[in-house]
Amino acid sequence: MELVEKTALKENPPQFDIGDTVDVHLKILEGNKERIQVFSGVVIARSGTGSKEMFSVRRIVAGEGVERKFPVHSPKIEKVEVTRSAIVRRAKLYFLRGRVGKAVRLKERRRV
């Protein structure tokens, strides 16, 4: 089973942590055209290992929270860009679901 899964893994998987604000560039098929759509938000969770590894991204759209799960090794993901990093003390940031407005902000981590 491991040999089969190894062929599906990306050589350079994206590097990001929980609490990072990321731009996920997705390939979208519309008819016979392919375009790239960007989903921006905060990584609130990572789960799984190997080819089954997933991450959840949350953002606020028109006052509503929108969450989306992505497979890390999916061929539909073009790239994942980290725009901000935050200082977090948990592995899952589900507490952000109950917050709105300025309460959603996380303390920024300075990278040198």
Side-chain angles (χ1 to χ4, degrees), residues 38-108:
V38 180
F39 189 91
S40 301
V42 177
V43 177
I44 62 167
R46 272 184 100 146
S47 62
T49 58
S51 65
K52 299 180 200 91
E53 189 174 359
M54 306 279 280
F55 65 101
S56 297
V57 179
R58 180 178 174 81
R59 72 176 181 180
I60 307 294
V61 178
E64 280 295 310
V66 177
E67 286 183 22
R68 190 156 172 197
K69 287 185 86 170
F70 300 101
V72 172
H73 297 283
S74 171
K76 289 194 172 198
I77 293 181
E78 186 73 27
K79 63 181 173 179
V80 177
E81 285 182 314
V82 177
T83 56
R84 281 185 62 184
S85 291
I87 299 169
V88 292
R89 296 166 61 180
R90 322 186 136 56
K92 308 282 195 250
L93 303 180
Y94 296 142
F95 67 90
L96 292 178
R97 291 175 175 165
R99 297 186 177 187
V100 290
K102 288 185 176 182
V104 177
R105 292 180 303 176
L106 298 169
K107 192 170 185 181
E108 189 170 356

